[in-house]
Amino acid sequence: MKINDFLRYMECEGLKKVVLTKRENINYFLGKYFPFFSVLVFEEKPILYVGELDLEYAKDNLNIEVRKFTGWKEIFEGCDGVESELKIEFLKYLDNYKIVSEKLRELRAIKEKEEIEKIKKAAKISDKAMKYIIENPEGNEREKAIELEYLMRKEGAIKAAFDSIVVSGRKTSYPHALPEDREIKDILLVDIGACYEGYCSDITRTLLLNERGEFREIYNLVKEAKELVEDYLREGVSTKFLDLKVREYFKEYEKYFIHSLGHGVGLEVHEFPTVSKKEEIILKENMVITIEPGIYIKDKFGVRLEDLYLIKKDGFEKLSKVTL
Amino acid sequence: MKINDFLRYMECEGLKKVVLTKRENINYFLGKYFPFFSVLVFEEKPILYVGELDLEYAKDNLNIEVRKFTGWKEIFEGCDGVESELKIEFLKYLDNYKIVSEKLRELRAIKEKEEIEKIKKAAKISDKAMKYIIENPEGNEREKAIELEYLMRKEGAIKAAFDSIVVSGRKTSYPHALPEDREIKDILLVDIGACYEGYCSDITRTLLLNERGEFREIYNLVKEAKELVEDYLREGVSTKFLDLKVREYFKEYEKYFIHSLGHGVGLEVHEFPTVSKKEEIILKENMVITIEPGIYIKDKFGVRLEDLYLIKKDGFEKLSKVTL
């Protein structure tokens, strides 16, 4: 399917040879998690070039023609299509070329059945870890992050999809921060993801360990903002509209919402489409995105709630299911 | 030191503004592990641009001027120096530019004191994990890989430096392979690394669980090849010479040595210099490299032994210390 779609695109665009070097684009077409050096070349059909050392492994484990990589000159000979992420060091091999990344982004954004299954599994794994920390929030930030990652690995993840965020107290006022060797207290923000067969999940919960009026008020505002988005979430809605809806809802707190509302998730934890006020993208069926409103008050605390959604014709399926 | 060296280089080359986007290059100058989006711009001094959401965290945790990223146009305005890894999508912002990556590779190859300390710590962590599996080799490949990674995390690693290779039986005949849900048997190849504050280690051991004459013979050959390299290993020796020495020593088994002898290790697990017959690089004091001879016999088994070395004026310090 994917391969034929891309070959058809090449034909329509009059492209003779496309070279892909970005790992996630390659793995997309392989339909497998292959972490070793490789280059995917599309001519009449796709051919994967790998180092001599990985030749037998690739042949035995991938459903694609595999050849030995012998040098970049051969790879780029006659190439007229490349990714926007191609390193400029390869420019010397290129003459005229077209960037094919928009097509790749589009293809990858609409998930196929097997991709959805893998993302669902990744979401299930991060749900298990999130459930564990919700039930056991006491301890040390760093140690807790390690336990969560261990749990995700045991549930089938190849690795964490990104450096786990397990931070507490004032540190929650940073949307991103690394766990440290310090006791968890007051408010705990956990943003984790699993990588299952190359596909990612992404979920955030904020736990109020010491209830205070102020926390609860902000927490509810963020929670309601996410629910508001869910009211509109379906094929055909604009990402910009959703982001602006949340900003409008936050009123005087809008200035504390210092990131986009969400992003696509798949082989990369951040991929097309972004859900932000900066760009208008119309959601389509089988896109997978996060919605993650957040309010961060400097030197005090932050609250973020993030879920993972599969977009449907008339709504969505929430893939991250763990509740507080 | 690093920053002044690079500013001096810019002055010598007549460069006014260099833009760095590659994470490891940025973290090199930061002297910190910073995994979030950022761009490092060198003019009279270095300035780190980060997203609005990471502004406070970066200001509070990094010893460098931090500004809010507002767009690529501003970043590349007047830029005349970039990395070879820059994505071609940014070409539209560039006029004349020089590639500064050779200088960056050179700087990064010679490790400073604090960098060596971090690599030593990473090596100590992977040693602990390796010691554990040497003492407990029975079990399932995948489960064992998970235990090793958990152990490395608990010992202080931010993460595994790469997907752990824990494979057994015939699968060892692939230099790279992923662990699966299968029992470990006969021969076990373990190639792991820790990432400590951004710096990597890399170590491989092959365990003969069921002694057979054939295994032992090949094992000894690989072991002797590594010892042979150690006889020559010091500042001033050529990497190509070392690689060819091993090939010569392997005689009729040379055809089974299907990868390079080694590679530099630092912020990346594979970085400059490569230790291969393809390129002649003269080793210098305070480079950190692996030496990893291997013999892989198709459909039978493979043996690889890899250690991590700090190059000294008159020899080396072996950073991976675990013995069988």
Side-chain angles (χ1 to χ4, degrees):
Chain A
M1 265 290 278
K2 304 161 173 178
I3 287 174
N4 287 339
D5 280 354
F6 194 70
L7 288 171
R8 204 170 314 120
Y9 159 80
M10 283 176 62
E11 205 181 322
C12 291
E13 297 289 327
L15 293 170
K16 295 265 173 287
K17 183 177 182 179
V18 173
V19 172
L20 304 183
T21 60
K22 182 170 165 160
R23 181 152 301 160
E24 292 87 355
N25 287 339
I26 295 172
N27 286 353
Y28 173 69
F29 288 110
L30 296 181
K32 287 246 187 181
Y33 178 74
F34 185 74
F36 312 120
F37 169 77
S38 60
V39 186
L40 187 60
V41 177
F42 274 90
E43 287 186 275
E44 290 76 31
K45 60 180 177 185
I47 295 170
L48 189 75
Y49 289 81
V50 303
E52 185 181 3
L53 76 171
D54 295 319
L55 202 55
E56 294 303 322
Y57 183 73
K59 280 181 182 171
D60 294 346
N61 288 279
L62 302 173
N63 297 316
I64 199 166
E65 186 176 332
V66 176
R67 290 189 196 161
K68 180 171 145 185
F69 174 85
T70 56
W72 291 107
K73 202 168 177 314
E74 182 198 351
I75 292 287
F76 284 110
E77 189 87 59
C79 166
D80 54 5
V82 295
E83 298 148 306
S84 61
E85 296 92 347
L86 187 76
K87 298 172 182 177
I88 59 168
E89 64 183 294
F90 296 122
L91 275 176
K92 60 185 170 204
Y93 299 112
L94 291 170
D95 208 13
N96 282 320
Y97 61 87
K98 198 182 143 79
I99 304 279
V100 301
S101 292
E102 205 174 317
K103 182 63 187 177
L104 293 169
R105 268 194 292 271
E106 246 176 55
L107 279 173
R108 281 180 46 189
I110 310 295
K111 269 67 180 178
E112 295 189 351
K113 199 161 164 278
E114 315 83 74
E115 296 184 279
I116 292 169
E117 287 313 312
K118 288 176 187 168
I119 297 171
K120 279 186 176 176
K121 175 74 182 171
K124 214 168 172 176
I125 293 169
S126 47
D127 267 2
K128 277 229 175 182
M130 191 61 86
K131 188 166 184 293
Y132 166 78
I133 197 164
I134 288 170
E135 289 168 3
N136 305 275
E138 67 295 329
N140 160 307
E141 288 177 6
R142 219 186 130 267
E143 284 167 15
K144 220 64 180 176
I146 294 171
E147 294 307 319
L148 295 182
E149 291 167 20
Y150 180 56
L151 208 156
M152 291 198 289
R153 279 291 266 137
K154 285 206 289 188
E155 291 293 326
I158 292 170
K159 58 180 118 189
F162 51 88
D163 291 336
S164 304
I165 298 176
V166 179
V167 297
S168 77
R170 283 189 188 195
K171 268 176 75 187
T172 56
S173 72
Y174 305 128
H176 293 150
L178 295 172
E180 289 168 286
D181 272 319
R182 58 205 282 283
E183 282 304 299
I184 290 169
K185 56 170 190 183
D186 296 335
I187 186 162
L188 172 63
L189 191 152
V190 180
D191 185 349
I192 54 173
C195 170
Y196 179 75
E197 293 189 14
Y199 283 82
C200 303
S201 63
D202 194 358
I203 178 172
T204 306
R205 293 290 182 267
T206 306
L207 314 183
L208 313 184
L209 306 179
N210 262 318
E211 290 275 348
R212 284 193 219 159
E214 202 182 16
F215 287 171
R216 178 59 63 186
E217 192 187 322
I218 301 293
Y219 185 91
N220 286 339
L221 196 60
V222 174
K223 186 163 174 277
E224 286 155 21
K226 198 159 65 63
E227 288 162 358
L228 176 69
V229 172
E230 291 173 0
D231 289 343
Y232 294 97
L233 201 58
R234 63 174 58 80
E235 171 163 282
V237 77
S238 138
T239 55
K240 186 176 180 174
F241 167 83
L242 296 175
D243 187 289
L244 291 174
K245 265 284 163 206
V246 167
R247 286 176 205 281
E248 189 187 296
Y249 189 77
F250 278 163
K251 286 188 193 136
E252 70 268 31
Y253 288 101
E254 191 273 331
K255 63 174 183 282
Y256 300 119
F257 180 30
I258 51 179
H259 55 68
S260 309
L261 179 61
H263 52 85
V265 174
L267 286 157
E268 288 169 276
V269 71
H270 291 108
E271 59 178 46
F272 180 82
T274 82
V275 182
S276 104
K277 64 182 173 181
K278 286 178 197 154
E279 210 179 340
E280 181 130 39
I281 300 158
I282 303 302
L283 292 178
K284 290 187 186 166
E285 193 184 9
N286 294 331
M287 282 184 167
V288 173
I289 62 165
T290 67
I291 295 295
E292 48 178 314
I295 288 177
Y296 311 90
I297 304 177
K298 200 183 157 179
D299 294 331
K300 288 179 136 180
F301 65 90
V303 172
R304 176 168 67 254
L305 297 174
E306 175 183 39
D307 276 306
L308 193 62
Y309 301 86
L310 171 65
I311 303 300
K312 302 241 184 189
K313 276 225 179 302
D314 51 3
F316 60 83
E317 181 181 345
K318 201 188 278 191
L319 305 185
S320 51
K321 298 180 195 290
V322 67
T323 50
L324 285 187
Chain B
M1 264 290 276
K2 303 159 175 182
I3 287 174
N4 287 337
D5 281 355
F6 193 71
L7 288 171
R8 205 171 313 120
Y9 158 80
M10 283 176 61
E11 205 180 321
C12 291
E13 297 288 326
L15 292 170
K16 296 266 172 288
K17 183 177 183 179
V18 172
V19 172
L20 304 183
T21 59
K22 182 172 164 159
R23 183 154 298 161
E24 292 87 354
N25 288 338
I26 295 171
N27 286 353
Y28 172 70
F29 289 110
L30 296 180
K32 287 246 187 180
Y33 178 74
F34 186 74
F36 312 120
F37 169 78
S38 60
V39 186
L40 187 59
V41 176
F42 274 90
E43 288 186 277
E44 291 75 33
K45 59 179 176 186
I47 295 169
L48 189 75
Y49 289 80
V50 303
E52 185 181 3
L53 75 172
D54 295 319
L55 202 55
E56 294 303 322
Y57 183 74
K59 280 181 181 170
D60 294 346
N61 288 280
L62 302 174
N63 296 316
I64 199 165
E65 187 176 333
V66 176
R67 288 188 198 163
K68 181 171 144 186
F69 173 86
T70 56
W72 291 107
K73 203 168 175 312
E74 183 198 349
I75 293 287
F76 284 111
E77 188 86 59
C79 167
D80 55 5
V82 295
E83 299 148 305
S84 61
E85 296 91 348
L86 186 76
K87 297 172 184 177
I88 59 169
E89 65 184 291
F90 296 122
L91 275 176
K92 60 185 171 205
Y93 299 113
L94 292 169
D95 207 13
N96 282 319
Y97 61 86
K98 199 183 141 79
I99 304 277
V100 302
S101 292
E102 205 175 317
K103 182 65 185 177
L104 293 170
R105 269 194 292 271
E106 248 175 54
L107 280 173
R108 280 180 47 189
I110 311 294
K111 269 67 180 178
E112 295 189 351
K113 197 159 164 280
E114 315 83 73
E115 296 183 280
I116 292 169
E117 287 313 311
K118 289 176 187 168
I119 297 171
K120 279 186 177 176
K121 175 73 182 173
K124 214 168 172 174
I125 293 169
S126 46
D127 268 2
K128 278 229 176 182
M130 191 61 86
K131 186 166 184 292
Y132 166 78
I133 196 166
I134 288 170
E135 289 166 3
N136 304 277
E138 68 295 330
N140 160 305
E141 289 177 6
R142 218 185 130 269
E143 284 169 13
K144 219 63 178 180
I146 294 171
E147 293 308 318
L148 296 181
E149 291 166 20
Y150 180 56
L151 207 155
M152 293 198 288
R153 280 290 266 136
K154 285 206 290 187
E155 290 293 326
I158 292 169
K159 59 180 117 188
F162 51 89
D163 290 338
S164 304
I165 298 176
V166 179
V167 297
S168 77
R170 284 189 187 194
K171 267 176 76 187
T172 57
S173 72
Y174 306 127
H176 294 148
L178 296 172
E180 289 168 285
D181 272 320
R182 59 206 282 282
E183 282 304 299
I184 290 168
K185 57 170 189 183
D186 297 335
I187 187 162
L188 172 64
L189 191 152
V190 180
D191 186 349
I192 54 172
C195 170
Y196 179 76
E197 294 189 11
Y199 283 82
C200 303
S201 62
D202 194 359
I203 180 172
T204 307
R205 293 290 182 268
T206 306
L207 314 183
L208 312 184
L209 305 179
N210 262 318
E211 289 276 346
R212 285 194 219 157
E214 202 184 15
F215 286 171
R216 178 57 65 185
E217 192 187 321
I218 301 291
Y219 185 90
N220 286 339
L221 196 62
V222 174
K223 188 164 174 277
E224 287 154 20
K226 198 159 65 61
E227 288 162 357
L228 176 69
V229 171
E230 290 175 359
D231 288 343
Y232 293 98
L233 201 59
R234 63 174 58 79
E235 171 162 283
V237 77
S238 138
T239 53
K240 185 176 180 175
F241 168 83
L242 296 174
D243 187 289
L244 290 174
K245 266 284 162 205
V246 168
R247 287 176 204 280
E248 189 187 296
Y249 189 76
F250 278 163
K251 286 189 192 133
E252 70 268 30
Y253 288 100
E254 191 273 330
K255 65 174 182 283
Y256 300 119
F257 180 31
I258 51 178
H259 55 68
S260 309
L261 180 60
H263 52 85
V265 173
L267 287 157
E268 288 169 276
V269 73
H270 291 108
E271 59 178 48
F272 180 82
T274 81
V275 183
S276 106
K277 63 181 173 182
K278 286 177 198 156
E279 210 180 338
E280 180 129 40
I281 300 158
I282 304 302
L283 291 179
K284 289 186 186 166
E285 194 183 9
N286 294 331
M287 282 183 168
V288 173
I289 61 164
T290 66
I291 295 295
E292 48 177 314
I295 288 177
Y296 311 90
I297 304 178
K298 200 184 158 180
D299 292 331
K300 288 180 136 181
F301 65 90
V303 172
R304 177 167 69 252
L305 297 173
E306 175 183 39
D307 276 308
L308 192 63
Y309 300 87
L310 171 65
I311 303 300
K312 301 242 183 188
K313 276 225 178 306
D314 50 3
F316 60 84
E317 180 181 344
K318 200 188 278 191
L319 304 184
S320 50
K321 297 181 196 291
V322 68
T323 49
L324 284 188

